[in-house]
C-alpha cells in the first residue's frame, strides 16, 4: 500500500527516485511475504494452497513477482502498479478467509496428497494470478487510452504485457485443469463430472481462449481485448470462490459464505468501469 502511494506521488512530482523507491518498497514487502509462505510449508509439510486463505496469499505473491518482472523488463511503471495493487488487495482479501482464526487446519482426506497439491492446485492458482494480472493491466490500458491516446509506444508496451500475462494465465489454467481431471479420476473414479469447481476452471480456459481467437480473427480491437481481460478477473473470482457459494459438488472442502454481496458489488463495479471508460477511450481515439 505504501509502495502504491509513492507510485501515485511520482505522477505529481516527476522524480525518478520515487518510482525506484516504490519498487524497493515492493521488494521489501515481498521478502517477509515469501518468508511467511516458506515457514508455512515447513510447519505444515505441504504446499501453501490447501485452503482459500493460503491461495490468496500465494496468488498475491505470484502477482507481485509478475509485477516486478514486468517492471524490470519494460521500466514503464506498469509493473509497479500491478505488484503494489495485487499484493495489497489479495492480502486484504485473505483476511476475510482467516476470520475463523486457525488457518492451518488438518487436511480433508481428498486433499491429502502433496503431489497433486504441488501440481494441480499450484498450476490452477498460478493461472488465477496470470489472468488477474492481465485484467489489472487491462484496466491500465483503458485508462492510458483515455489519458495518453497519442503515446503509441506506451500503449503498445502495456498491450504486450497484458497479452503476455493472459497467455501465461491460459497456459497454467489449462495445465491445472488437465491435472485436476487426472486427480479426479484417481480420487472419484471419473475425469470430469460437471462439478461447479470444475466448471469454473473450464470457464477460465474458455474465456481466455475466446479472447485469443477473437483477437487473432480481428473480431476485437486491442481496446476490446483489454475490456475482455478486465472481465477475465470476474470469471476468475467466480471460479476461485464464487462457485463455493452454491454449496454443492464434491469440492466440499472449499465452501464459504458471507461473500455474495461483496462479489456482486465487485462485478457491478467492473461493469460500471467498462461502461464508463471504454466509450471515453473510443472517443479519445477518434479525436
Amino acid at each position: 500500500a505504501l509502495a502504491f502511494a509513492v507510485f501515485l506521488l511520482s505522477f505529481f512530482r516527476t522524480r525518478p527516485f520515487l518510482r525506484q523507491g516504490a519498487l524497493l518498497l515492493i521488494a521489501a514487502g515481498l521478502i517477509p511475504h515469501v518468508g511467511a509462505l516458506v515457514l508455512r510449508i515447513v510447519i505444515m509439510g505441504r504446499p501453501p494452497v490447501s485452503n482459500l486463505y493460503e491461495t490468496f496469499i500465494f496468488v498475491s505473491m505470484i502477482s507481485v513477482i509478475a509485477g516486478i518482472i514486468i517492471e524490470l523488463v519494460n521500466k514503464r511503471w506498469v509493473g509497479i502498479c500491478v505488484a503494489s495493487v495485487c499484493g495489497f488487495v489479495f492480502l486484504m482479501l485473505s483476511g476475510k478467509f482467516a476470520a475463523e482464526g486457525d488457518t492451518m487446519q488438518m487436511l480433508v482426506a481428498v486433499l491429502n496428497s502433496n503431489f497433486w497439491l504441488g501440481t494441480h492446485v499450484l498450476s490452477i492458482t498460478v493461472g488465477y494470478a496470470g489472468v488477474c494480472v492481465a485484467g489489472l493491466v487491462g484496466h491500465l490500458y483503458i485508462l492510458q487510452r483515455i489519458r495518453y491516446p497519442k503515446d503509441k509506444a506506451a500503449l503498445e508496451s502495456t498491450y504486450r504485457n497484458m497479452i503476455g500475462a493472459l497467455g501465461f494465465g491460459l497456459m497454467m489454467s489449462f495445465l491445472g485443469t488437465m491435472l485436476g481431471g487426472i486427480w479426479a479420476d484417481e480420487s472419484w473414479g471419473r475425469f470430469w463430472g460437471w462439478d461447479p469447481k470444475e466448471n469454473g476452471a473450464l470457464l477460465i480456459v474458455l474465456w481466455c481462449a475466446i479472447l485469443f481467437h477473437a483477437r487473432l480473427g480481428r473480431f476485437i480491437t486491442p481496446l476490446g481485448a483489454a475490456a475482455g481481460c478486465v472481465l477475465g478477473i470476474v470469471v476468475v473470482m467466480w471460479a476461485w470462490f464464487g462457485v463455493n457459494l452454491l454449496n454443492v459438488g464434491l469440492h466440499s472442502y472449499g465452501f464459504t459464505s458471507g461473500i455474495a454481496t461483496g462479489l456482486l458489488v465487485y462485478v457491478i463495479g467492473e461493469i460500471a468501469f467498462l461502461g464508463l471508460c471504454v466509450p471515453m477511450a473510443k472517443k479519445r481515439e477518434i479525436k
Side-chain angles (χ1 to χ4, degrees):
L2 180 58
F4 184 67
V6 173
F7 160 71
L8 290 179
L9 183 62
S10 69
F11 283 97
F12 299 96
R13 297 179 62 84
T14 53
R15 299 287 190 274
F17 70 85
L18 288 175
R19 289 184 181 173
Q20 295 171 0
L23 189 59
L24 288 175
L25 285 170
I26 291 170
L30 181 62
I31 292 172
H33 191 159
V34 173
L37 276 178
V38 170
L39 287 175
R40 291 185 72 91
I41 294 171
V42 172
I43 293 170
M44 302 302 294
R46 63 175 186 247
V49 287
S50 59
N51 55 52
L52 282 172
Y53 172 79
E54 288 184 334
T55 60
F56 271 96
I57 296 177
F58 182 74
V59 169
S60 174
M61 182 190 72
I62 297 299
S63 301
V64 171
I65 293 174
I68 291 175
I69 292 173
I70 290 173
E71 186 60 28
L72 293 177
V73 171
N74 291 336
K75 298 180 174 62
R76 288 184 178 270
W77 62 258
V78 171
I80 294 176
C81 188
V82 167
S84 57
V85 171
C86 286
F88 176 73
V89 170
F90 286 139
L91 285 179
M92 291 299 99
L93 286 174
S94 71
K96 170 66 178 176
F97 300 95
E100 297 177 358
D102 182 12
T103 62
M104 294 185 176
Q105 305 97 334
M106 293 297 294
L107 287 178
V108 295
V110 71
L111 285 177
N112 193 18
S113 170
N114 280 346
F115 174 77
W116 289 114
L117 283 175
T119 53
H120 161 62
V121 184
L122 281 182
S123 298
I124 284 289
T125 48
V126 170
Y128 291 165
V131 179
C132 287
V133 167
L136 181 54
V137 178
H139 284 83
L140 297 177
Y141 181 85
I142 293 171
L143 294 175
Q144 278 184 286
R145 286 282 293 265
I146 296 173
R147 183 66 180 86
Y148 307 107
K150 296 181 180 180
D151 193 346
K152 302 300 182 183
L155 288 171
E156 179 61 26
S157 175
T158 303
Y159 181 69
R160 287 199 307 270
N161 293 334
M162 180 184 72
I163 294 300
L166 185 68
F168 177 73
L170 171 59
M171 176 183 69
M172 296 307 298
S173 297
F174 179 77
L175 175 62
T177 302
M178 295 301 101
L179 291 171
I182 300 172
W183 189 7
D185 184 55
E186 279 194 5
S187 298
W188 299 321
R190 88 289 189 277
F191 289 97
W192 191 264
W194 300 105
D195 183 281
K197 201 73 172 179
E198 295 169 347
N199 293 340
L202 181 62
L203 279 175
I204 296 175
V205 174
L206 291 178
W207 184 258
C208 294
I210 287 170
L211 290 180
F212 274 107
H213 281 285
R215 171 177 171 267
L216 292 173
R218 300 186 185 278
F219 292 108
I220 57 174
T221 63
L223 183 60
C229 286
V230 170
L231 292 176
I233 304 181
V234 175
V235 177
V236 169
M237 293 299 118
W238 171 254
W240 195 350
F241 55 89
V243 294
N244 298 336
L245 297 171
L246 299 175
N247 285 345
V248 294
L250 291 173
H251 292 78
S252 58
Y253 50 83
F255 289 165
T256 188
S257 61
I259 60 171
T261 301
L263 186 59
L264 179 61
V265 169
Y266 168 72
V267 172
I268 293 173
E270 289 288 30
I271 293 174
F273 171 83
L274 292 176
L276 177 66
C277 294
V278 170
M280 290 176 61
K282 286 184 176 180
K283 186 177 180 180
R284 293 281 290 178
E285 182 180 32
I286 294 173
K287 288 183 176 180

